[in-house]
Amino acid sequence: MTSADLVYQILKVIEQGKEPKFQEMGINKNDFHAVIEQIDEAGLASNLVIRRGGQGNPILMVQANGSRLTPAGRNFIAEYESRVK
């Protein structure tokens, strides 16, 4: 599965008003954290919480409860779905 596929799957969960969880998506925790960080840095969703053990340290926890898609996130979904069809 590519990074774009994971980003899409996570954004679709957020679009449904749910909190994405790595266990339900069938991916490991580190990959999930990396994709959430990509989504946050790209501005595809708001209200994402990323906690580290200190600057430059690995991610310890992410929380996406209550997050929402940004216009860029909605555009990502639309473009992804137009390529898949």
Side-chain angles (χ1 to χ4, degrees):
M1 188 175 310
T2 69
S3 178
D5 295 335
L6 291 174
V7 169
Y8 172 76
Q9 287 182 348
I10 291 171
L11 291 178
K12 287 300 281 186
V13 172
I14 292 170
E15 181 181 52
Q16 296 168 4
K18 300 177 183 176
E19 180 176 10
K21 299 182 185 289
F22 72 93
Q23 303 93 328
E24 295 170 2
M25 304 190 81
I27 60 175
N28 73 47
K29 188 176 185 179
N30 291 333
D31 289 344
F32 179 76
H33 287 174
V35 174
I36 291 289
E37 187 170 42
Q38 287 176 344
I39 289 169
D40 186 51
E41 289 174 354
L44 301 176
S46 62
N47 298 328
L48 296 170
V49 177
I50 299 172
R51 300 220 192 272
R52 296 179 179 276
Q55 188 174 14
N57 289 335
I59 297 171
L60 298 175
M61 185 221 44
V62 299
Q63 184 178 5
N65 191 24
S67 65
R68 302 215 181 269
L69 294 180
T70 64
R74 287 190 289 278
N75 286 341
F76 182 94
I77 289 173
E79 289 176 13
Y80 182 94
E81 290 176 347
S82 71
R83 285 189 307 242
V84 174
K85 291 182 182 179

